[in-house]
C-alpha cells in the first residue's frame, strides 16, 4: 500500500528537515507515493535539502503564510487518496504508517487515525535556554498534526486548517472534524517524536496568546450562531 502523500511544512527548518524526510523513507511495510515539502517563506536551505531527495520529494515554495496554510497547500497538491502530516522538526517512528493503516483497515468507515507521541529536547539547545523550557514529559495521547493519517476527501470535507491561526489550528480542525462526525482512531503506541528546540510556535508565548484569542473568539461566534439557529432566527 503506497497510496499516501506526506506533507511537511517548513519555515527555516533546513536544520532538521533531512531527519524528518528520512523518518518517512524508513517506514516499514507501508511506503509513500510522494513527499511534499512546502517551503513557507524560508530564508535558509530548506529547498536545497528537499532537492537531495528528488526521486520522491517535491518542494513547493510559498510566501510566509504559516503552517496551517502550508499544510492546506500540500494537501491540495497531493495526488493520493490518503495524506499524512509531519512537521519539519519532528520525526516518525518506523512503524507509524503500518500500524495506522492496519487499524484503519479493521475499522468500519475508518477515515482518520492518530497515535501517541512524546517530546524530546534537541541536543543543540543551549543549556541555559533548556532550563527555561517547559513541556510535558512522557507519552502523550492528545492528537497532533504530526501523527495524523487521513483520507484526503475527508480532510477537505471538514474545511482544512484555519489559515488565520498561527497556533491551535489543529485543535480547531479536530473540533470541526468531530462536529462533522469524523471518528478518530488512535494507535495505542508511540508513533512520533516532537523536537523541542526553543523556537517551536506552540511554546512561543506571544504567538500562542494571539492564536488562542482568535480561537476563543471563533468558538464564541460559532456558539452564538448555533443559538440563533435554535431560536429559529
Amino acid at each position: 500500500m503506497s497510496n499516501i502523500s506526506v506533507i511537511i511544512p517548513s519555515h527555516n527548518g533546513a536544520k532538521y528537515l533531512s531527519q524528518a524526510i528520512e523518518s518517512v523513507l524508513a517506514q516499514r511495510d507501508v511506503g509513500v507515493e510522494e513527499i511534499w515539502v512546502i517551503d513557507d517563506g524560508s530564508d535558509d536551505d530548506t529547498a536545497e535539502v528537499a532537492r537531495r531527495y528528488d526521486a520522491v520529494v517535491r518542494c513547493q515554495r510559498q510566501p510566509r503564510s504559516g503552517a496551517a496554510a502550508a499544510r492546506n497547500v500540500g494537501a491540495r497538491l497531493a495526488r493520493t487518496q490518503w495524506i499524512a502530516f509531519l512537521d519539519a522538526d519532528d520525526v516518525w517512528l518506523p512503524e507509524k504508517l503500518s500500524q495506522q493503516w492496519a487499524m484503519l483497515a479493521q475499522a468500519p468507515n475508518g477515515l482518520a487515525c492518530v497515535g501517541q507521541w512524546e517530546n524530546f529536547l534537541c541536543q543543540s539547545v543551549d543549556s541555559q535556554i533548556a532550563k527555561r523550557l517547559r513541556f510535558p514529559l512522557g507519552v502523550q495521547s492528545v492528537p497532533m498534526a504530526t501523527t495524523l493519517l487521513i483520507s484526503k476527501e475527508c480532510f477537505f470535507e471538514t474545511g482544512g486548517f484555519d489559515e488565520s491561526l498561527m497556533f491551535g489550528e489543529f485543535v480547531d480542525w479536530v473540533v470541526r472534524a468531530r462536529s462533522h462526525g469524523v471518528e478518530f482512531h488512535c494507535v495505542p503506541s508511540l508513533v512520533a517524536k516532537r523536537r523541542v528546540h526553543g523556537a517551536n510556535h506552540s511554546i512561543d508565548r506571544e504567538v500562542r496568546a494571539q492564536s488562542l484569542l482568535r480561537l476563543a473568539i471563533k468558538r464564541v461566534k460559532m456558539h452564538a450562531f448555533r443559538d440563533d439557529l435554535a431560536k429559529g432566527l
Side-chain angles (χ1 to χ4, degrees), residues 100 103-104 111-115 147-150 184-187:
Q100 291 184 307
M103 175 166 282
L104 287 176
L111 296 174
C113 190
V114 292
T147 71
L148 179 65
L149 171 64
I150 188 170
F184 289 87
H185 303 276
C186 184
V187 173

Side-chain angles (χ1 to χ4, degrees), residues 85-103:
F85 300 97
L86 172 62
D87 286 353
D89 48 2
D90 296 341
V91 294
W92 284 350
L93 271 63
E95 295 182 351
K96 189 264 188 190
L97 290 179
S98 61
Q99 290 180 347
Q100 291 184 307
W101 184 245
M103 175 166 282

